[in-house]
Amino acid sequence: MEGEMLYDSLDESVLDDRQKARLKALRIAMDPWLSQVERCRENQAKPLALRMKEHDAALKTLEILRNGRTAS
Amino acid sequence: MEGPPPNPEALFAALNQCGVDAVLVGGMAVYLHGGNNITMDMDIAFLRTKENYEKLADALELLEARPVRWRAPKWRLDQIDLVSGWLHLTSTAGQIDLLAKHPGIEYGELRETALDKEIGDTHLTLASIDALIKMKSAAGRERDAAHLELLRAAKQALETSPDDPDDPVNGP
């Protein structure tokens, strides 16, 4: 309860740059929407051929999970 | 899974060899833009002229493409096959959906805004994120909602530079 009150009353203008950056990183880590942005950014940095290898591997895993056998 | 896994490299190798004017759209395009969605097929939009239909038919023959339950020994695309606006095919490059109709965007804009990408040694024409958002929004299907979310995240990832000094995760 005390922590919630502290967070609610937090005045970001009193934070130094390091604290602001840490707080922002924490929000990114905790927000599923922003985490998805991070995943997209990581994927965009990979060559498409590598992405396709990953896609094939994911399809095979999915097939095994669904049918208990390897995809043809 | 019916047939081989989707192989956009093999698909576009054949399309390019035959000079087909076509753009990769749909779930595979979402994936190649950075999405984590898994898709079983490749959606293709194409210029609907008689000449391009013939080139597309040639490319599909190279890929031994045919409708899933086609019984005759040979199949070649005919314009009448796409009267419903959509045709699902199996091929040596995986499953292909041909889209003759794509709500939300005209082919001209789709082609003009498409991105040129390389996959292996093959040149691939990939619909832009904005074009895909238009198409997915217009389709309005339940499954498109997840793709829309991925596309918006992919767009935001591109707009937020990893070198952004205000970005504590990727910034310097």
Side-chain angles (χ1 to χ4, degrees), chain B residues 13 23 31 35 37 61 73 83 125 128 172:
Chain B
V23 178
Y31 181 83
N37 56 305
E61 280 196 339
V83 73
T125 310
S128 69

Side-chain angles (χ1 to χ4, degrees), chain B residues 18-170:
Chain B
C18 298
V20 183
D21 192 335
V23 178
L24 182 67
V25 298
M28 180 56 76
V30 175
Y31 181 83
L32 292 180
H33 274 297
N36 275 349
N37 56 305
I38 299 300
T39 184
M40 307 291 260
D41 51 34
M42 297 170 290
D43 296 345
I44 294 293
F46 55 95
L47 179 66
R48 296 192 301 280
T49 61
K50 190 171 185 297
E51 187 186 8
N52 203 47
Y53 265 106
E54 286 305 309
K55 290 176 179 174
L56 180 58
D58 291 342
L60 292 173
E61 280 196 339
L62 288 177
L63 297 167
E64 299 173 22
R66 62 193 60 210
V68 177
R69 277 172 284 280
W70 187 259
R71 296 298 178 206
K74 287 200 76 174
W75 176 84
R76 182 176 170 86
L77 178 70
D78 187 295
Q79 287 190 45
I80 197 72
D81 299 341
L82 278 155
V83 73
S84 70
W86 171 81
L87 185 62
H88 181 69
L89 305 168
T90 60
S91 80
T92 55
Q95 298 175 47
I96 302 168
D97 283 341
L98 296 180
L99 307 182
K101 294 176 186 169
H102 27 82
I105 192 165
E106 294 292 326
Y107 184 78
E109 183 184 350
L110 185 59
R111 183 68 185 81
E112 199 172 305
T113 56
L115 309 174
D116 293 327
K117 294 279 183 181
E118 299 298 324
I119 183 165
D121 295 326
T122 304
H123 173 85
L124 181 143
T125 310
L126 179 65
S128 69
I129 292 179
D130 286 336
L132 290 166
I133 287 175
K134 283 184 180 179
M135 293 174 81
K136 295 281 179 187
S137 300
R141 298 171 302 185
E142 199 175 318
R143 63 179 171 171
D144 289 317
H147 283 177
L148 273 170
E149 197 175 312
L150 276 172
L151 286 164
R152 288 178 182 134
K155 186 173 180 174
Q156 191 176 335
L158 285 175
E159 288 169 352
T160 317
S161 165
D163 298 322
D164 185 348
D166 293 331
D167 184 340
V169 175
N170 296 290

